[in-house]
Amino acid sequence: PAIRLAALMELPLIFVFTHDSIGVGEDGPTHQPIEQITSLRLIPNLAVFRPADATETVEAWRVALGRRHAPTALVLTRQVLPVIDRTCHAPAQGVSRGAYILRDAEHPEVILIGTGSEVHLALAAQEMLAAQKVKARVVSMPCWELFEEQPDEYREAVLPSSLRARVAVEAGVTLAWGRYVGLDGAVVGLDRFGASAPYQVLYQELGITAEAVAGAARRVLSRVK
């Protein structure tokens, strides 16, 4: 109720959430917010950030401090995530635009969209696909709401309408991702409750892996070509 009221009143509050996915592991399904991040994204005026690493978290906090007429939610993971090497990836300032091309390929054939801890799965899947001569673009999308506020030209540059082969990956419900992958794309996610186990085991057993993302990309490409 508090976060909804803040959004309704357009208050510049910052809400910080942790334990963002099945990555909480042994805490079990009662503590795994499979559907709650999507629920937060449905609240008008609320910007919901799910950053991929410490650098994106810093940029998300910077953006949140500048939002004087609306609240922000930062949804963070309990997992230990590596910091993305920005010498070979795009600068994290792209967070301020909601989504950005994190690592591109020349004339990409498929787009891999990740958020939060699953951005790292998209990056690993890109390498797997490259080994199979498939060119993939990786887009980090920490904040849907800010991306929707960008000019049409920017959104088209990140997600070209001509490139219909798309795969999104997030450790949560898949329904709303259809907005970005379209009818031809695929989503690697979780439309059931989680389980109690180390998070590495859960991701593997529930099929949220780099291999699953790469496999979905190949299937999507076979349909759209």
Side-chain angles (χ1 to χ4, degrees):
I3 197 167
R4 187 175 184 274
L5 188 59
L8 179 63
M9 298 176 66
E10 300 182 353
L11 299 177
L13 300 180
I14 302 174
F15 298 86
V16 179
F17 297 88
T18 63
H19 298 56
D20 67 336
S21 71
I22 59 172
V24 303
E26 292 90 335
D27 288 351
T30 58
H31 288 63
Q32 296 168 359
I34 304 305
E35 80 294 346
Q36 291 175 7
I37 294 173
T38 294
S39 298
L40 289 173
R41 289 174 178 144
L42 295 175
I43 299 175
N45 300 332
L46 178 67
V48 181
F49 284 89
R50 191 162 178 255
D53 67 349
T55 310
E56 281 199 359
T57 302
V58 169
E59 292 302 318
W61 185 261
R62 193 192 314 276
V63 173
L65 291 176
R67 285 173 53 83
R68 306 308 304 165
H69 302 290
T72 304
L74 272 63
V75 186
L76 309 176
T77 182
R78 193 176 76 172
Q79 298 156 251
V80 178
L81 297 176
V83 176
I84 297 170
D85 182 0
R86 299 292 166 169
T87 63
C88 52
H89 298 80
Q93 284 82 358
V95 168
S96 67
R97 309 195 77 169
Y100 63 105
I101 301 170
L102 179 59
R103 190 163 69 190
D104 211 353
E106 187 175 1
H107 307 300
E109 304 165 77
V110 60
I111 300 176
L112 309 179
I113 310 169
T115 184
S117 52
E118 287 73 64
V119 169
H120 300 271
L121 300 182
L123 288 170
Q126 184 194 45
E127 295 181 359
M128 293 176 183
L129 292 168
Q132 300 164 1
K133 309 301 182 185
V134 177
K135 299 176 182 178
R137 165 181 293 181
V138 175
V139 170
S140 177
M141 185 177 282
C143 183
W144 295 17
E145 295 79 15
L146 288 188
F147 185 63
E148 291 300 321
E149 294 175 2
Q150 302 308 306
D152 292 343
E153 295 79 8
Y154 179 78
R155 287 184 286 142
E156 177 67 17
V158 175
L159 299 177
S161 53
S162 60
L163 192 48
R164 295 169 17 234
R166 303 177 182 185
V167 177
V169 54
E170 184 171 55
V173 293
T174 63
L175 180 64
W177 277 104
R179 180 186 191 112
Y180 296 113
V181 302
L183 295 176
D184 297 309
V187 185
V188 176
L190 190 64
D191 291 313
R192 49 152 286 182
F193 290 111
S196 181
Y199 77 85
Q200 299 92 332
V201 174
L202 288 177
Y203 273 83
Q204 188 68 39
E205 292 298 319
L206 297 175
I208 305 176
T209 63
E211 291 81 3
V213 175
R218 290 191 296 270
R219 289 192 296 275
V220 166
L221 277 170
S222 69
R223 293 200 300 263
V224 302
K225 283 186 174 180

